[in-house]
């Protein structure tokens, strides 16, 4: 196997929403994938694609042994705790899993001689950005422990890279949404907090209404604006990222979004249109720490990875998410 190719990928968190879609795509493209997950997220079933080990990725000795036996060329690290509000009330849980365990994972990789890493970072590292659309060069000013954990690992990766111990891509996801258009996979959170998922729960009568947190933001309709990226475009970005790293070996930080925002009201209107259900919407106070606008500047990923989104359409995103939501009934 020469430079520029990989045949084996180890995916942490591959039973989860994003990891499972990426694993499916990797498998379809002919990669051998080992999924490591302890099934503490919403999905308690073994993943459909890839080999599977039920392991805590922070168990350094077990991870070291898996690295030595499976011999992946690359590690994609999705596993983490992900609920912003929970990170505010229980920060240790987040620093322990997202930071301390990730350092153990990196240590196991280093000992096993594996040096290529793709990290699931987040737009949460920007906090409340001053420039919209936000470029990767914007200062990192997270406003909650979840965002802090992502920024901390980015710093660790930067230092490891400077020391010549790792080549990495940090992918800063904006709002990931939608589901596998083939209907096999989708989000499986215990208590979804994401807007589209909440709205779909209301449209399928699993919750009585949804709330809009804040209608007095400095945006055209007063509600927050977000950049939603379809899960399959994000999955494709991971393949491009991996190929780029293997070919060029240059560490990078990249925004993953479309560069277009939709307000909370626009998203709710689209969910109503797609589902045909006029569910109840209540207006509530702002939540602390919600940036009014979060839109990616995607120029870097488009230029460097030649990223060409295929599903850049809110209606399409919601249709796929709705098809999956109906399967959960
Ligand atoms: N979903 C989004 O919109 C979004 C946005 C920005 C960043 N991210 C990041 O993307 C990554 C994946 O998010 P997701 O939405 O797929 O979440 P998810 O909860 O569906 O998946 C995470 C998976 O990690 C596993 N996990 C957690 N801790 C573990 C541990 N110690 N050992 C083994 N497995 C463990 C869970 O069991 C779960 O299956 C996370 O790092 C998240 O911070 C997600």
């Amino acid at each position: 196997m020469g430079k520029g190719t990989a045949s084996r990928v180890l995916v942490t968190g591959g039973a989860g929403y994003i990891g499972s879609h990426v694993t499916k795509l990797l498998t379809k493209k002919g990669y051998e994938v080992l999924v490591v997950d302890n099934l503490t997220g919403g999905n308690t079933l073994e993943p459909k694609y890839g080999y599977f080990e039920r392991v805590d990725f922070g168990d350094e000795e077990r991870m070291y042994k898996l690295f030595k036996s499976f011999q992946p060329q690359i590690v994609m690290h999705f596993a983490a705790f992900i609920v912003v509000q929970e990170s505010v009330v229980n920060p240790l849980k987040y620093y322990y899993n997202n930071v301390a365990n990730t350092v153990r994972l990196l240590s196991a990789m280093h000992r096993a001689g594996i040096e290529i890493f793709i990290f699931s970072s987040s737009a949460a590292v920007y906090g409340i950005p001053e420039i919209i659309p936000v470029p990767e060069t914007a200062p990192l000013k997270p406003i909650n422990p979840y965002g802090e954990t992502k920024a901390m690992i980015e710093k660790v990766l930067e230092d490891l890279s400077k020391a010549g111990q790792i080549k990495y891509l940090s992918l800063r996801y904006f709002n990931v949404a939608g589901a596998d258009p083939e209907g096999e996979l989708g989000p499986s959170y215990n208590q979804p907090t994401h807007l589209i998922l909440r709205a779909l729960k209301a449209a399928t009568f699993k919750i009585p209404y949804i709330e809009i947190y804040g209608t007095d933001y400095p945006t055209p309709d007063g509600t927050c604006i977000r950049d939603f990226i379809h899960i399959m475009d994000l999955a494709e970005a991971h393949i491009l990222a991996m190929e780029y790293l293997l070919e060029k070996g240059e560490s990078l930080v990249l925004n993953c979004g479309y560069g277009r925002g939709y307000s909370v009201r626009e998203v709710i209107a689209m969910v109503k249109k797609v589902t045909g259900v006029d569910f109840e919407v209540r207006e509530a106070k702002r939540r602390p720490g919600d940036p009014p606008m979060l839109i990616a500047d995607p120029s870097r990923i488009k230029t460097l990875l030649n990223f060409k989104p295929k599903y850049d359409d809110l209606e399409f995103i919601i249709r796929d998410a709705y098809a999956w939501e109906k399967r959960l009934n």
Side-chain angles (χ1 to χ4, degrees), residues 208-257:
Y209 60 90
I210 72 157
E211 287 182 313
I212 299 181
Y213 300 109
T215 52
D216 57 350
Y217 282 100
T219 58
D221 69 17
T223 65
C224 289
I225 293 182
R226 295 291 179 268
D227 184 342
F228 296 89
I229 178 168
H230 191 288
I231 181 70
M232 292 316 296
D233 278 333
L234 185 70
E236 194 64 48
H238 284 75
I239 307 285
L240 296 174
M242 181 176 76
E243 288 166 354
Y244 182 90
L245 259 186
L246 288 160
E247 268 168 36
K248 307 247 195 264
E250 183 196 5
S251 295
L252 283 177
V253 176
L254 297 172
N255 282 339
C256 294

Side-chain angles (χ1 to χ4, degrees), residues 15-135:
Y17 171 44
I18 302 173
S20 63
H21 287 77
V22 175
T23 298
K24 176 175 175 180
L25 192 60
L26 283 165
T27 310
K28 281 176 85 174
K29 289 185 185 272
Y31 296 97
E32 273 187 87
V33 183
L34 175 60
V35 169
V36 169
D37 200 300
N38 63 2
L39 304 183
T40 53
N43 183 14
T44 51
L45 302 173
E46 287 201 7
K48 290 198 177 94
Y49 290 90
Y51 308 114
F52 176 60
E53 288 284 341
R54 186 171 183 169
V55 178
D56 188 314
F57 76 84
D59 183 337
E60 183 170 338
E61 290 316 309
R62 282 195 71 188
M63 290 308 301
Y64 173 73
K65 285 187 188 132
L66 284 179
F67 287 139
K68 289 304 263 186
S69 57
F70 184 64
Q71 304 232 325
Q73 279 86 12
I74 189 156
V75 175
M76 293 192 186
H77 182 38
F78 299 94
F81 293 143
I82 63 160
V83 183
V84 170
Q85 305 300 331
E86 185 189 40
S87 80
V88 176
V89 290
N90 197 353
L92 260 187
K93 178 177 173 180
Y94 279 71
Y95 287 112
Y96 195 92
N97 199 35
N98 296 6
V99 179
N101 279 344
T102 300
V103 170
R104 292 189 186 99
L105 174 76
L106 290 165
S107 172
M109 269 180 66
H110 180 58
R111 285 168 51 204
I114 297 156
E115 55 174 24
I116 301 190
F117 191 72
I118 295 184
F119 177 56
S120 299
S121 189
S122 165
V125 297
Y126 296 120
I128 301 179
E130 277 162 28
I131 302 171
I132 297 287
V134 56

